[in-house]
Amino acid sequence: MSHHDDHPKWSTDTKCIHAGQAPDALFGAVAPPIYQTSTFAFESTEQGAARFAGKDSGYIYTRLGNPTIHMLEENVAALEEGAGALATASGMAAVSTLFFALLSSGDHVVCSQTVYGPSRLVLERDFARFGVRSAMVETSDTQAMRDAVTDKTRLIYIETPSNPTLAITDIAEAARIAHEAGALLAVDNTFCSPILQRPIRFGADVVVHSVTKFINGHADVVGGVLVFRSEELMKRVKPVLGFLGGTMDPHQAWLVLRGVKTLGLRVRAAQENASACARFLAAHPAVASVAYPGLPGHPQADLIARQMAGPGSLISFELKGGIEAGKKLLGSLKLATLAVSLGGVETLIQHPASMTHAGMSRESRLQAGITDGLVRLAVGCEDKEDLLADFKEGLDALI
Ligand code: LCS
């Protein structure tokens, strides 16, 4: 099995296909074998004891490690240019395991106010019960992020671009602020995928992904991954994941290994469609405003050019007719499917205030820029003209 460190010169597209996935040693199978087993036989009691003592690196039990899952971990670690990765049952298992491993009672977290709803709710509702305090701040405002840090801050947790407002946080500045405070920086890179943004390059200590989204890309798996800048940090989190039990399953890992091979192709195809859709939406008389990192005149264009290789395929917009017009549009589109999630080959559209971010109070939502009329569009890989025709029909009916 190849290790990502063996291939530092491969481009990201090549790594998608090959990193962690050399033909298997037993039969030469080109596609990775699915080691669908809960446990692994020891050759002797001595060997079993050595594995538990960490003196023999062989496998023990799938909750603690499995060869198919490890191939995915090596693959994503290579894509993100990290020292190692841990695959998890879902993106939320990655987020909650990370918080559990790094935070103790009395610690303080600075978190982007616009993140996937449950990522902040787990801090505000659950970790708060164990004495972890968190500040939700607009981290796209670097000064606000700096001002929120206290002498108890142990973690800065950001999402950029953010779900669903697409606010952009400066990763290098966030890393500087975290490290000056003796804290760590975690970046949820789900919206970009490693094709468009590699936060470790800008100083992040941990990268979080819901692999449910772009990395798997086919709307048929829920999963997550944590990628670490250093082995040392991964060693702090790995035993916690093993004990909490939010590990991935081998079959789930195999499906993601299949999906990740086309990550670059899918991300670029969806991005090209999204750029066309964003321009179309921005020019349409029924649309009040569009947030998309690729639109001309974006106030953070310099930062976007510095830290992102492209604007991606998520768009959020407001209709002039507000929430009623939104309901009408979401109900009338034929190609864009009314569903939460994103990052798959199919175009999805949803209403954050009543769906993905419904768990937040309306006050928190409005403070974070998630207005009642905001619509989030996750553009897929369908034919561009078909998508534009669907939006033209839906939007024209509103005026
Ligand atoms: N991080 C981000 C940025 C997400 O968008 C999501 C899920 C998660 C973490 C959690 O990952 P999961 O456990 O679902 O794999 N976002 C969703 C969304 O926007 N609509 O449905 C799920």
Side-chain angles (χ1 to χ4, degrees):
M1 219 178 296
S2 61
H3 188 275
H4 58 267
D5 287 344
D6 299 341
H7 311 292
K9 292 198 189 73
W10 280 353
S11 80
T12 306
D13 275 352
T14 305
K15 287 178 185 171
C16 287
I17 298 168
H18 292 290
Q21 305 193 49
D24 94 288
L26 203 53
F27 298 112
V30 170
I34 313 172
Y35 288 95
Q36 193 72 45
T37 183
S38 59
T39 195
F40 296 84
F42 306 134
E43 283 167 9
S44 63
T45 49
E46 288 76 14
Q47 189 192 52
R51 287 189 184 175
F52 272 93
K55 290 178 187 144
D56 175 324
S57 63
Y59 291 101
I60 297 173
Y61 184 66
T62 284
R63 177 159 44 72
L64 307 175
N66 172 289
T68 311
I69 299 169
H70 190 62
M71 285 182 227
L72 177 64
E73 292 170 337
E74 289 290 283
N75 182 275
V76 183
L79 292 177
E80 285 289 0
E81 302 172 350
L86 297 171
T88 57
S90 65
M92 284 314 301
V95 172
S96 57
T97 300
L98 183 72
F99 292 163
F100 200 89
L102 299 184
L103 301 170
S104 299
S105 179
D107 288 351
H108 179 256
V109 183
V110 173
C111 179
S112 298
Q113 65 172 351
T114 41
V115 288
Y116 176 55
S119 297
R120 67 177 271 179
L121 290 169
V122 76
L123 285 172
E124 291 176 301
R125 284 189 193 165
D126 298 300
F127 282 86
R129 290 188 288 118
F130 303 109
V132 173
R133 289 178 308 112
S134 46
M136 301 296 152
V137 293
E138 186 44 66
T139 54
S140 62
D141 176 348
T142 299
Q143 193 55 44
M145 176 162 51
R146 193 182 297 280
D147 292 345
V149 170
T150 75
D151 60 352
K152 297 281 197 306
T153 304
R154 293 288 168 270
L155 180 68
I156 297 186
Y157 184 87
I158 63 172
E159 212 177 272
T160 180
S162 68
N163 185 355
T165 55
L166 303 167
I168 312 290
T169 296
D170 188 324
I171 301 171
E173 284 295 337
R176 202 166 296 133
I177 294 167
H179 297 156
E180 276 168 15
L184 296 169
L185 173 68
V187 180
D188 185 327
N189 198 29
T190 298
F191 268 36
C192 274
S193 90
I195 301 298
L196 300 180
Q197 182 169 274
R198 291 194 281 284
I200 289 174
R201 282 194 180 185
F202 297 95
D205 300 289
V206 188
V207 177
V208 179
H209 280 284
S210 166
V211 304
T212 315
K213 311 300 181 320
F214 292 99
I215 290 181
N216 178 61
H218 294 76
D220 51 10
V221 173
V222 168
V225 74
L226 294 168
V227 185
F228 300 90
R229 162 186 288 280
S230 73
E231 293 234 12
E232 191 193 350
L233 187 57
M234 185 166 81
K235 282 186 183 144
R236 268 176 72 189
V237 180
K238 191 175 161 81
V240 177
L241 175 63
F243 279 6
L244 290 181
T247 32
M248 194 176 262
D249 174 84
H251 188 257
Q252 200 184 353
W254 181 82
L255 282 165
V256 182
L257 281 164
R258 190 180 207 256
V260 76
K261 287 183 189 278
T262 55
L263 178 63
L265 301 172
R266 289 184 282 101
V267 165
R268 287 188 294 272
Q271 175 171 266
E272 196 185 316
N273 284 343
S275 297
C277 287
R279 272 181 270 121
F280 178 79
L281 287 167
H284 198 281
V287 176
S289 64
V290 180
Y292 180 63
L295 281 179
H298 192 290
Q300 290 170 295
D302 290 347
L303 172 59
I304 290 166
R306 218 164 42 240
Q307 77 184 21
M308 294 164 70
S313 53
L314 273 298
I315 300 170
S316 57
F317 62 96
E318 293 251 11
L319 294 165
K320 286 189 183 145
I323 188 153
E324 286 312 314
K327 279 186 191 163
K328 202 169 160 198
L329 178 71
L330 268 57
S332 73
L333 294 168
K334 297 188 183 80
L335 195 48
T337 301
L338 177 56
V340 296
S341 202
L342 57 107
V345 291
E346 42 292 280
T347 295
L348 303 179
I349 194 158
Q350 67 112 4
H351 177 235
S354 68
M355 297 173 187
T356 48
H357 293 70
M360 286 165 68
S361 69
R362 184 163 182 269
E363 190 192 354
S364 301
R365 275 200 306 269
L366 293 179
Q367 199 174 10
I370 308 166
T371 54
D372 292 339
L374 192 77
V375 174
R376 189 189 74 188
L377 171 63
V379 181
C381 298
E382 297 92 343
D383 180 79
K384 192 194 301 175
E385 299 308 323
D386 289 343
L387 282 170
L388 291 173
D390 196 30
F391 282 104
K392 183 170 183 348
E393 196 181 321
L395 290 169
D396 285 354
L398 301 179
I399 48 175

Short mmCIF file of all heavy atoms in Angstrom, two decimals, residues 90-93 95 116 119 157 159 163 188 190-191 208-213 222-224 340-342 350 356-357 376, ligand 1:
data_model
loop_
_atom_site.label_atom_id
_atom_site.label_comp_id
_atom_site.label_asym_id
_atom_site.label_seq_id
_atom_site.Cartn_x
_atom_site.Cartn_y
_atom_site.Cartn_z
N SER A 90 -19.72 10.20 10.26
CA SER A 90 -20.40 11.32 9.61
C SER A 90 -19.52 12.55 9.78
O SER A 90 -18.55 12.51 10.56
CB SER A 90 -21.77 11.58 10.27
OG SER A 90 -21.57 12.00 11.61
N GLY A 91 -19.89 13.63 9.11
CA GLY A 91 -19.17 14.89 9.33
C GLY A 91 -19.34 15.34 10.78
O GLY A 91 -18.39 15.83 11.40
N MET A 92 -20.55 15.17 11.32
CA MET A 92 -20.77 15.58 12.71
C MET A 92 -19.97 14.73 13.69
O MET A 92 -19.57 15.22 14.75
CB MET A 92 -22.28 15.57 13.05
CG MET A 92 -23.05 16.76 12.48
SD MET A 92 -22.27 18.40 12.72
CE MET A 92 -22.14 18.49 14.51
N ALA A 93 -19.73 13.46 13.36
CA ALA A 93 -18.87 12.63 14.23
C ALA A 93 -17.45 13.19 14.21
O ALA A 93 -16.75 13.18 15.24
CB ALA A 93 -18.88 11.17 13.78
N VAL A 95 -16.66 16.42 13.75
CA VAL A 95 -16.71 17.68 14.51
C VAL A 95 -16.76 17.39 16.01
O VAL A 95 -15.98 17.92 16.81
CB VAL A 95 -17.94 18.53 14.08
CG1 VAL A 95 -18.13 19.74 14.98
CG2 VAL A 95 -17.82 18.95 12.62
N TYR A 116 -22.28 25.27 9.52
CA TYR A 116 -23.38 24.32 9.45
C TYR A 116 -24.07 24.30 10.82
O TYR A 116 -23.40 24.16 11.85
CB TYR A 116 -22.84 22.94 9.08
CG TYR A 116 -23.89 21.87 9.08
CD1 TYR A 116 -25.05 22.00 8.31
CD2 TYR A 116 -23.75 20.72 9.84
CE1 TYR A 116 -26.03 21.02 8.32
CE2 TYR A 116 -24.71 19.74 9.85
CZ TYR A 116 -25.86 19.90 9.09
OH TYR A 116 -26.82 18.92 9.10
N SER A 119 -22.96 22.19 13.85
CA SER A 119 -21.57 22.36 14.31
C SER A 119 -21.48 23.40 15.42
O SER A 119 -20.66 23.28 16.32
CB SER A 119 -20.66 22.76 13.15
OG SER A 119 -20.62 21.75 12.17
N TYR A 157 -12.45 27.69 15.57
CA TYR A 157 -13.11 26.78 14.64
C TYR A 157 -13.80 27.62 13.56
O TYR A 157 -14.72 28.39 13.87
CB TYR A 157 -14.14 25.92 15.40
CG TYR A 157 -14.80 24.89 14.53
CD1 TYR A 157 -14.22 23.65 14.34
CD2 TYR A 157 -15.99 25.17 13.85
CE1 TYR A 157 -14.80 22.69 13.52
CE2 TYR A 157 -16.57 24.22 13.02
CZ TYR A 157 -15.96 22.99 12.87
OH TYR A 157 -16.54 22.06 12.05
N GLU A 159 -15.34 28.01 9.38
CA GLU A 159 -15.82 27.39 8.15
C GLU A 159 -15.68 28.45 7.08
O GLU A 159 -16.22 29.55 7.25
CB GLU A 159 -17.31 27.04 8.35
CG GLU A 159 -17.78 25.83 7.62
CD GLU A 159 -19.24 25.54 7.95
OE1 GLU A 159 -19.52 24.83 8.93
OE2 GLU A 159 -20.12 26.03 7.22
N ASN A 163 -21.32 28.06 5.57
CA ASN A 163 -22.62 27.48 5.23
C ASN A 163 -23.68 28.24 5.99
O ASN A 163 -23.70 28.16 7.23
CB ASN A 163 -22.60 25.99 5.65
CG ASN A 163 -23.85 25.24 5.25
OD1 ASN A 163 -24.80 25.81 4.74
ND2 ASN A 163 -23.85 23.93 5.50
N ASP A 188 -13.21 23.85 8.73
CA ASP A 188 -14.11 22.98 7.99
C ASP A 188 -13.99 23.36 6.52
O ASP A 188 -14.38 24.45 6.11
CB ASP A 188 -15.55 23.16 8.51
CG ASP A 188 -16.53 22.18 7.86
OD1 ASP A 188 -16.32 21.83 6.67
OD2 ASP A 188 -17.50 21.78 8.52
N THR A 190 -15.29 21.64 3.94
CA THR A 190 -16.29 20.89 3.19
C THR A 190 -16.70 21.61 1.91
O THR A 190 -16.85 20.98 0.85
CB THR A 190 -17.53 20.65 4.07
OG1 THR A 190 -17.14 19.86 5.19
CG2 THR A 190 -18.64 19.94 3.32
N PHE A 191 -16.92 22.93 1.98
CA PHE A 191 -17.46 23.66 0.82
C PHE A 191 -16.48 23.74 -0.34
O PHE A 191 -16.89 23.86 -1.48
CB PHE A 191 -17.90 25.08 1.24
CG PHE A 191 -19.35 25.17 1.64
CD1 PHE A 191 -19.96 24.13 2.33
CD2 PHE A 191 -20.10 26.30 1.33
CE1 PHE A 191 -21.30 24.20 2.71
CE2 PHE A 191 -21.44 26.39 1.70
CZ PHE A 191 -22.04 25.34 2.38
N VAL A 208 -11.43 19.69 8.69
CA VAL A 208 -12.63 18.88 8.89
C VAL A 208 -13.37 18.79 7.56
O VAL A 208 -13.47 19.78 6.83
CB VAL A 208 -13.57 19.56 9.92
CG1 VAL A 208 -14.84 18.75 10.13
CG2 VAL A 208 -12.84 19.81 11.23
N HIS A 209 -13.86 17.58 7.25
CA HIS A 209 -14.73 17.43 6.08
C HIS A 209 -15.94 16.60 6.42
O HIS A 209 -15.83 15.58 7.10
CB HIS A 209 -14.03 16.67 4.94
CG HIS A 209 -13.11 17.49 4.13
ND1 HIS A 209 -13.55 18.38 3.19
CD2 HIS A 209 -11.76 17.57 4.14
CE1 HIS A 209 -12.51 18.96 2.63
NE2 HIS A 209 -11.42 18.51 3.20
N SER A 210 -17.09 17.03 5.90
CA SER A 210 -18.20 16.10 5.73
C SER A 210 -17.93 15.46 4.37
O SER A 210 -18.11 16.11 3.33
CB SER A 210 -19.53 16.87 5.73
OG SER A 210 -20.55 16.03 5.24
N VAL A 211 -17.47 14.20 4.36
CA VAL A 211 -17.18 13.55 3.07
C VAL A 211 -18.47 13.16 2.35
O VAL A 211 -18.46 12.79 1.18
CB VAL A 211 -16.23 12.33 3.18
CG1 VAL A 211 -14.93 12.71 3.84
CG2 VAL A 211 -16.85 11.13 3.86
N THR A 212 -19.59 13.30 3.08
CA THR A 212 -20.93 13.18 2.50
C THR A 212 -21.05 14.07 1.26
O THR A 212 -21.81 13.76 0.35
CB THR A 212 -21.96 13.69 3.54
OG1 THR A 212 -21.66 13.17 4.82
CG2 THR A 212 -23.38 13.34 3.14
N LYS A 213 -20.28 15.16 1.25
CA LYS A 213 -20.43 16.19 0.23
C LYS A 213 -19.48 15.92 -0.95
O LYS A 213 -19.57 14.86 -1.54
CB LYS A 213 -20.22 17.56 0.87
CG LYS A 213 -21.03 17.77 2.17
CD LYS A 213 -22.51 17.64 1.92
CE LYS A 213 -23.43 17.84 3.11
NZ LYS A 213 -23.11 17.33 4.40
N VAL A 222 -23.05 8.95 4.00
CA VAL A 222 -22.78 9.96 5.02
C VAL A 222 -21.43 9.59 5.64
O VAL A 222 -21.21 8.41 5.96
CB VAL A 222 -23.90 9.96 6.08
CG1 VAL A 222 -23.49 10.78 7.31
CG2 VAL A 222 -25.19 10.52 5.49
N GLY A 223 -20.54 10.55 5.78
CA GLY A 223 -19.23 10.24 6.37
C GLY A 223 -18.46 11.51 6.66
O GLY A 223 -18.86 12.60 6.22
N GLY A 224 -17.37 11.36 7.41
CA GLY A 224 -16.54 12.53 7.72
C GLY A 224 -15.08 12.16 7.80
O GLY A 224 -14.73 10.97 7.77
N VAL A 340 -31.80 19.03 1.25
CA VAL A 340 -30.58 19.53 1.88
C VAL A 340 -29.41 18.68 1.40
O VAL A 340 -29.58 17.73 0.66
CB VAL A 340 -30.69 19.54 3.43
CG1 VAL A 340 -31.76 20.50 3.89
CG2 VAL A 340 -30.92 18.14 3.98
N SER A 341 -28.21 19.04 1.86
CA SER A 341 -26.93 18.48 1.43
C SER A 341 -26.43 19.21 0.18
O SER A 341 -27.11 20.12 -0.35
CB SER A 341 -26.97 16.98 1.18
OG SER A 341 -25.64 16.45 1.29
N LEU A 342 -25.24 18.85 -0.26
CA LEU A 342 -24.54 19.58 -1.31
C LEU A 342 -23.35 18.74 -1.74
O LEU A 342 -23.04 17.73 -1.10
CB LEU A 342 -24.05 20.94 -0.76
CG LEU A 342 -23.14 20.84 0.48
CD1 LEU A 342 -21.69 21.15 0.14
CD2 LEU A 342 -23.62 21.75 1.58
N GLN A 350 -32.25 24.46 -1.29
CA GLN A 350 -32.92 24.36 0.01
C GLN A 350 -33.08 25.73 0.64
O GLN A 350 -32.50 26.72 0.19
CB GLN A 350 -32.16 23.40 0.94
CG GLN A 350 -30.79 23.89 1.37
CD GLN A 350 -30.68 24.23 2.86
OE1 GLN A 350 -31.61 24.04 3.63
NE2 GLN A 350 -29.52 24.74 3.26
N THR A 356 -31.66 23.49 7.06
CA THR A 356 -30.34 23.21 7.69
C THR A 356 -30.04 24.05 8.93
O THR A 356 -29.29 23.62 9.79
CB THR A 356 -29.19 23.45 6.70
OG1 THR A 356 -29.38 24.71 6.08
CG2 THR A 356 -29.12 22.35 5.67
N HIS A 357 -30.58 25.26 9.03
CA HIS A 357 -30.25 26.15 10.15
C HIS A 357 -31.48 26.45 11.01
O HIS A 357 -31.51 27.41 11.77
CB HIS A 357 -29.56 27.42 9.64
CG HIS A 357 -28.20 27.13 9.05
ND1 HIS A 357 -28.05 26.47 7.86
CD2 HIS A 357 -26.95 27.36 9.52
CE1 HIS A 357 -26.75 26.32 7.60
NE2 HIS A 357 -26.07 26.85 8.59
N ARG A 376 -30.37 28.58 -0.61
CA ARG A 376 -29.03 28.04 -0.90
C ARG A 376 -29.11 27.05 -2.06
O ARG A 376 -29.94 26.14 -2.05
CB ARG A 376 -28.43 27.33 0.32
CG ARG A 376 -26.96 26.96 0.09
CD ARG A 376 -26.41 26.07 1.18
NE ARG A 376 -26.91 24.72 1.08
CZ ARG A 376 -26.72 23.76 1.99
NH1 ARG A 376 -26.05 24.04 3.09
NH2 ARG A 376 -27.20 22.55 1.81
N1 LCS B 1 -19.75 20.66 7.90
C1 LCS B 1 -20.40 21.25 6.89
C2 LCS B 1 -19.84 22.49 6.26
C3 LCS B 1 -21.62 20.73 6.45
O1 LCS B 1 -22.24 21.34 5.43
C4 LCS B 1 -22.14 19.58 7.08
C5 LCS B 1 -23.44 18.99 6.67
C6 LCS B 1 -21.43 19.01 8.14
C7 LCS B 1 -20.23 19.56 8.52
C8 LCS B 1 -21.92 17.77 8.85
O2 LCS B 1 -21.69 16.66 8.05
P1 LCS B 1 -22.60 15.34 8.03
O3 LCS B 1 -22.63 14.81 9.44
O4 LCS B 1 -23.95 15.71 7.55
O5 LCS B 1 -21.84 14.43 7.12
N2 LCS B 1 -24.22 19.87 5.87
C9 LCS B 1 -25.43 19.67 5.44
C10 LCS B 1 -26.14 20.64 4.72
O6 LCS B 1 -25.77 21.77 4.48
N3 LCS B 1 -27.29 20.15 4.37
O7 LCS B 1 -27.46 18.87 4.85
C11 LCS B 1 -26.29 18.49 5.59
#
